[in-house]
Amino acid sequence: MRGYNDFIIKVDVVYNKTFKTESGLELHADSRFSQDRLANRIAVVEEIPLTLEGKTPIKKGFQVMIDPTIFYENEYVATGVQMTPFTIDKNKGLYKIKDEMIVLYREDKNSEWKANAENLLIRFKKEEVAEKKVGSIIIENKKEIVSKDHATILHANELLQEEGIQDGDLLFVQQGYGVPFWIDGIEYNWIHNRHVLAKLN
């Protein structure tokens, strides 16, 4: 089986039983209420689409990090669970996915991740706000806030690399466009090239 426009991918599990916080604490959760944290984001490519033959760096057998919304099902009282339109065979873990929904790819688990198409992962910069005082009285303690528009790029795609933007660069990005994307308990954000406004370093 091979898709015309879609990749065919396979996952071992759709939802994990637990997730880790950034501090390393492992928590149990219910996938009905915590889909975004429990959804498995890593799949293996079974087939590449016919339309992308020779046009994509992703090959059969590669690992891909994907948009987990392809797994999100709706449950109704009358009709039960409704599978997503991306499902091919839930029991075998087979799904179809568009190229733009593949965020990262790599040859195998020992290879480095690379950003796919115009996708990239960023991590918003944390900034320390000094304590506020009135005279010698502290009215607000020192705290750490997450920037809304300054972010470090985790994986730059080929188009950005051609423009001189590399992994680890500090970027000025549009506010409100990042999609939370958790890897090993750390929250990153998934954005597209058009959301990058400037390189800051």
Side-chain angles (χ1 to χ4, degrees), residues 24-113:
L25 180 66
E26 190 169 4
L27 300 173
H28 289 264
D30 189 324
S31 62
R32 293 174 296 176
F33 309 107
S34 304
Q35 291 179 321
D36 55 344
R37 295 303 300 263
L38 294 174
N40 176 22
R41 285 172 167 77
I42 299 177
V44 174
V45 175
E46 291 287 299
E47 293 288 351
I48 63 169
L50 289 167
T51 54
L52 290 181
E53 184 72 53
K55 299 177 183 177
T56 176
I58 301 172
K59 308 296 181 190
K60 183 177 178 178
F62 274 31
Q63 287 189 335
V64 287
M65 194 170 290
I66 60 172
D67 178 352
T69 59
I70 70 166
F71 303 131
Y72 295 178
E73 297 173 332
N74 293 315
E75 188 169 352
Y76 301 98
V77 174
T79 58
V81 176
Q82 180 183 357
M83 290 188 291
T84 73
F86 303 99
T87 306
I88 296 173
D89 189 325
K90 185 176 179 179
N91 292 329
K92 293 181 179 178
L94 292 172
Y95 293 82
K96 60 181 181 178
I97 190 170
K98 300 288 184 190
D99 183 42
E100 60 269 18
M101 298 176 81
I102 295 176
V103 182
L104 306 174
Y105 68 92
R106 64 184 180 184
E107 190 171 348
D108 54 48
K109 65 181 181 180
N110 298 316
S111 305
E112 290 291 325
W113 288 108

Side-chain angles (χ1 to χ4, degrees), residues 143-173:
K143 61 182 178 181
E144 194 175 62
I145 61 168
V146 178
S147 174
K148 295 180 180 179
D149 52 20
H150 287 63
T152 302
I153 188 166
L154 179 65
H155 296 291
N157 55 53
E158 288 184 11
L159 292 172
L160 288 182
Q161 289 174 356
E162 289 171 3
E163 295 175 0
I165 297 176
Q166 305 296 328
D167 297 356
D169 284 348
L170 183 63
L171 305 177
F172 181 59
V173 300

Side-chain angles (χ1 to χ4, degrees), residues 169-182:
D169 284 348
L170 183 63
L171 305 177
F172 181 59
V173 300
Q174 283 182 292
Q175 292 188 27
Y177 286 96
V179 176
F181 209 89
W182 284 276

Side-chain angles (χ1 to χ4, degrees), residues 128-147:
E128 197 171 89
V129 179
E131 64 186 13
K132 292 182 181 178
K133 287 185 176 183
V134 174
S136 60
I137 300 171
I138 298 172
I139 60 170
E140 191 172 327
N141 288 327
K142 180 173 65 175
K143 61 182 178 181
E144 194 175 62
I145 61 168
V146 178
S147 174

